[in-house]
Amino acid sequence: MTSFAQRCGVHDAAREEAVARVAQRIEAQGLELVRFAWCDLHGVLRGKTLVAAAAPRALREGLGMVSTLMLKDTSDRTAFRVFEPGGTDSLPGFGFANNLQLLGDPASFRQLPWTAATGWIQCQPWFTDGQPVELDTRRVLQRALARLEKAGFELKCGLEIEFHIYRIEDAQAQLDAEQAAWPAPVPRVSLVHPGYNLLAEGWYDLAEEPLRIVLRTAQALGLPLLSLEVELGPSQVEAVFEPTDALTAADNMVLFRNAVKMALRRAGYHATFMCRPPFPNIMSSGWHLHQSLVDLHTGANAFRRDSPGTHTTPADAGSTLSQVGEHWLAGLLQHARGMAVFCTPTANGFGRFRPNALAPQSVLWGRDNRGALLRVIGDCGDEATRIENRIGEPAANPYLYIASQVHAGLEGIGRRLLPPAATDAPYAGTGENLPTSLGEALAALRTDLGLCEAFGAAFIDYFTQIKRSEQQRLEAADDSEEFMRREYFGRL
């Protein structure tokens, strides 16, 4: 009898050997539990924890998962009427809270450093007939990268992630059964450094204990962490990672974000990737995505230019970027408003787009300009030449954030779009404004025909219905600040 993994078309002799190696490692390391984890629409890991002896079979046969986990908004409410006639007509294969199957990747196996005798495996969902669930966000990125490979390129991404760490002073409200709510109250917290002293060594020293936990967690998981820094805002920090291929970068972001939250919580700290935590005098957190293309035929950086283009000035993209880089940059600009909701998906994140805040406000690019949406970094002959997109918030689903870059950039290449001149005044009011609310961003996506076609109508309908549920609940909330506190600060 064939296994479920074989019926899915993914199991061969090499994968069977990988499953056997996982079983050997489980036994050799004395593991008791293995977590089978899947990334949901909001970038949060969900899954099931098995006794260790059951893990090899689950790698072959999969694990049942209720399909409504793919239909949840940020509060964990199901955004589709799954028990009403026609409620899931737009979602073939879904209905009545039926089962999907989670199938793990044995190559992703690792031991978790913050909890005893526990392994971890990354999964993706499949329908019970062995067909892939195409709405899964990791598959969305995989399809985008397949388009890019067909065009002769690979995307390379570097992660630069700002977030906040607080010391938990009282967790009782969150855990008190008398105060349980949906979503739950948040813990009372204090700062780990007072802020407004960027990169101050003294402030780093104050925050060193939780940052050491971040360091040890990332390194134990094999993540390519490069640096940990004290950012400008109170209790704000930043993690920077070495560049990797795009899918690995997205996987790393999901694992890092979720692992850091759990490891710090056990030590009495609350980490949040919410853009604007619910306190006075905070600084917004961004996720700056560095990107370049690798030419699959030569292995070279396809954005690098050896000498300035003919008749160019420093304000022209062609003075630094290759023609491919110019087109990619223009594609990102063309679709900036449409991609915004993939890069900044929470209602909270749009408060970051304001003047003189080291965050973008308008659809502009600049040369090494941190006020612009897109920052071109590098000089002629520099193999590290790249584009930094500063639109993202750290709570974004990385698969969707990166997929939006691929689809936008490919349209720029395909249509041979050219960018305007670089800005030297990113907050002067020139250029089209980025969306200022979740509702405006959803509308911008709907009118971006290129992105809608690239992601596919089925995914756009699915995504926008779930995000509209979040937006409607925010509009109906008596206290929008309390909504964001519980919806984002306590959960993301």
Side-chain angles (χ1 to χ4, degrees):
M1 178 179 288
T2 59
S3 67
F4 179 73
Q6 287 173 318
R7 294 197 298 276
C8 293
V10 298
H11 197 77
D12 54 16
R15 189 175 186 277
E16 180 59 34
E17 289 177 5
V19 172
R21 286 195 296 272
V22 168
Q24 292 168 0
R25 289 179 64 185
I26 288 172
E27 183 175 358
Q29 295 167 6
L31 301 188
E32 300 168 352
L33 300 168
V34 179
R35 298 182 186 180
F36 281 68
W38 158 76
C39 177
D40 73 6
L41 183 68
H42 313 290
V44 175
L45 284 178
R46 302 174 184 255
K48 294 189 175 183
T49 301
L50 275 63
V51 297
R57 184 177 188 279
L59 284 168
R60 299 183 182 98
E61 299 297 341
L63 289 171
M65 175 187 86
V66 60
S67 62
T68 53
L69 282 179
M70 291 195 66
L71 310 180
K72 301 289 190 182
D73 66 13
T74 47
S75 73
D76 220 50
R77 289 173 171 83
T78 303
F80 291 80
R81 300 182 184 277
V82 297
F83 294 111
E84 295 185 9
T88 55
D89 282 354
S90 64
L91 301 169
F94 288 79
F96 308 110
N98 61 319
N99 252 12
L100 303 174
Q101 290 289 104
L102 283 182
L103 193 57
D105 177 5
S108 70
F109 176 82
R110 62 197 76 198
Q111 185 172 355
L112 298 181
W114 66 85
T115 184
T118 302
W120 182 91
I121 291 173
Q122 182 181 44
C123 302
Q124 286 184 263
W126 297 74
F127 291 113
T128 55
D129 65 358
Q131 294 301 306
V133 180
E134 297 295 351
L135 296 179
D136 173 54
T137 59
R138 192 169 190 265
R139 283 201 175 89
V140 169
L141 177 57
Q142 288 170 321
R143 290 196 302 272
L145 294 175
R147 280 190 68 205
L148 186 63
E149 182 179 6
K150 189 175 180 180
F153 300 106
E154 177 186 80
L155 181 63
K156 194 172 184 179
C157 293
L159 310 181
E160 188 178 316
I161 310 152
E162 297 167 347
F163 61 107
H164 290 78
I165 301 173
Y166 297 92
R167 189 184 307 275
I168 297 174
E169 298 295 342
D170 181 8
Q172 190 60 29
Q174 194 172 41
L175 300 176
D176 185 346
E178 297 293 335
Q179 298 186 57
W182 189 357
V186 302
R188 187 168 64 84
V189 298
S190 60
L191 303 174
V192 299
H193 72 77
Y196 301 111
N197 205 359
L198 181 64
L199 297 181
E201 191 169 340
W203 279 189
Y204 183 93
D205 207 54
L206 280 175
E208 184 173 16
E209 180 179 291
L211 288 176
R212 289 273 185 178
I213 295 170
V214 174
L215 168 69
R216 289 194 293 267
T217 301
Q219 290 183 334
L221 293 171
L223 303 180
L225 183 66
L226 181 62
S227 71
L228 291 169
E229 302 169 9
V230 164
E231 264 294 333
L232 182 58
S235 250
Q236 190 180 38
V237 299
E238 181 178 64
V240 180
F241 290 81
E242 294 276 8
T244 65
D245 70 274
L247 186 61
T248 298
D251 290 341
N252 287 347
M253 179 63 169
V254 171
L255 183 55
F256 173 76
R257 199 164 49 191
N258 286 274
V260 160
K261 288 179 68 67
M262 288 184 280
L264 284 171
R265 178 75 189 218
R266 286 178 176 240
Y269 295 95
H270 178 74
T272 180
F273 293 82
M274 177 185 187
C275 178
R276 295 180 56 76
F279 306 110
N281 302 317
I282 56 91
M283 290 293 293
S284 301
S285 287
W287 170 12
H288 307 143
L289 184 64
H290 294 253
Q291 54 195 281
S292 61
L293 293 182
V294 176
D295 187 312
L296 291 176
H297 300 293
T298 67
N301 181 349
F303 285 0
R304 190 191 72 185
R305 179 181 281 280
D306 291 328
S307 59
T310 306
H311 306 306
T312 61
T313 72
D316 298 317
S319 69
T320 298
L321 292 174
S322 68
Q323 286 188 342
V324 167
E326 288 184 87
H327 300 325
W328 188 273
L329 177 68
L332 296 181
L333 291 169
Q334 179 80 14
H335 295 286
R337 283 180 52 82
M339 72 169 62
V341 74
F342 293 128
C343 311
T344 298
T346 72
N348 174 264
F350 293 92
R352 176 171 161 263
F353 300 151
R354 57 183 63 190
N356 303 307
L358 290 174
Q361 183 184 24
S362 303
V363 182
L364 299 167
W365 77 276
R367 188 175 306 285
D368 200 6
N369 187 327
R370 285 183 167 86
L373 169 69
L374 301 172
R375 174 182 171 224
V376 173
I377 306 167
D379 297 304
C380 288
D382 185 352
E383 191 59 30
T385 297
R386 62 195 184 277
I387 298 168
E388 176 192 16
N389 196 335
R390 299 176 64 81
I391 194 175
E393 67 169 325
N397 179 309
Y399 303 113
L400 300 183
Y401 187 173
I402 296 175
S404 70
Q405 310 302 284
V406 174
H407 291 312
L410 277 175
E411 181 165 334
I413 292 173
R415 293 174 55 195
R416 302 184 66 81
L417 299 177
L418 293 174
T423 184
D424 58 6
Y427 301 117
T430 59
E432 192 175 16
N433 284 342
L434 290 170
T436 58
S437 69
L438 177 57
E440 185 184 349
L442 286 169
L445 172 61
R446 278 293 191 184
T447 60
D448 190 321
L449 300 182
L451 280 184
C452 287
E453 181 180 0
F455 276 92
F459 182 82
I460 296 296
D461 290 345
Y462 158 75
F463 176 82
T464 54
Q465 179 154 336
I466 292 176
K467 296 307 292 183
R468 280 200 198 102
S469 173
E470 179 183 339
Q471 174 70 16
Q472 289 164 358
R473 287 186 302 97
L474 172 61
E475 291 170 352
D478 294 331
D479 184 340
S480 61
E481 290 298 318
E482 182 64 15
F483 174 95
M484 292 192 192
R485 183 178 290 110
R486 293 181 180 227
E487 194 97 356
Y488 306 135
F489 184 71
R491 301 164 72 94
L492 298 181

